[in-house]
Amino acid sequence: YRGFLINILNPKLSIFFLAFLPLFVSSSPISPTLQMVFLSLVFMGMTLGVFILYGISANGVRHYVVNSPKVIRRCQRTFGIIFTGLGAKLAFTD
């Protein structure tokens, strides 16, 4: 619920549609508003499809990572090295 409200109230999407989509509306359409709505629906459908693929892919990777202690250990070591490097960089900055 909260995530939905944050996304709906985010002005970036509205600015995108108002700035980018009119470039693809033909110069003499019967109804420019209808064409904008159609283009918006196509964009939203494509975005939904991409997010579904992201979710399916993430689920597959999660099963691989969770069931492999070797991968978990490597991830923990990699994150440890990265955080140690970031801490050292922070310690030596002015």
Side-chain angles (χ1 to χ4, degrees):
Y1 176 73
R2 183 175 166 196
F4 174 77
L5 284 178
I6 289 172
N7 281 321
I8 291 298
L9 298 175
N10 189 351
K12 287 187 291 188
L13 187 61
S14 301
I15 291 171
F16 170 79
F17 281 124
L18 292 174
F20 188 68
L21 285 182
L23 298 173
F24 297 97
V25 174
S26 60
S27 60
S28 61
I30 296 169
S31 174
T33 305
L34 185 62
Q35 194 171 9
M36 280 287 290
V37 169
F38 175 72
L39 289 173
S40 299
L41 290 174
V42 169
F43 177 79
M44 293 303 228
M46 290 172 50
T47 303
L48 178 65
V50 168
F51 284 161
I52 287 172
L53 289 175
Y54 283 164
I56 291 169
S57 299
N59 187 39
V61 171
R62 184 187 74 80
H63 284 296
Y64 172 72
V65 170
V66 168
N67 295 326
S68 175
K70 186 177 181 180
V71 172
I72 291 174
R73 195 169 39 255
R74 284 186 181 173
C75 285
Q76 289 174 339
R77 287 181 182 162
T78 302
F79 288 139
I81 291 168
I82 290 170
F83 284 134
T84 301
L86 289 172
K89 182 179 177 184
L90 183 62
F92 292 113
T93 57
D94 292 334

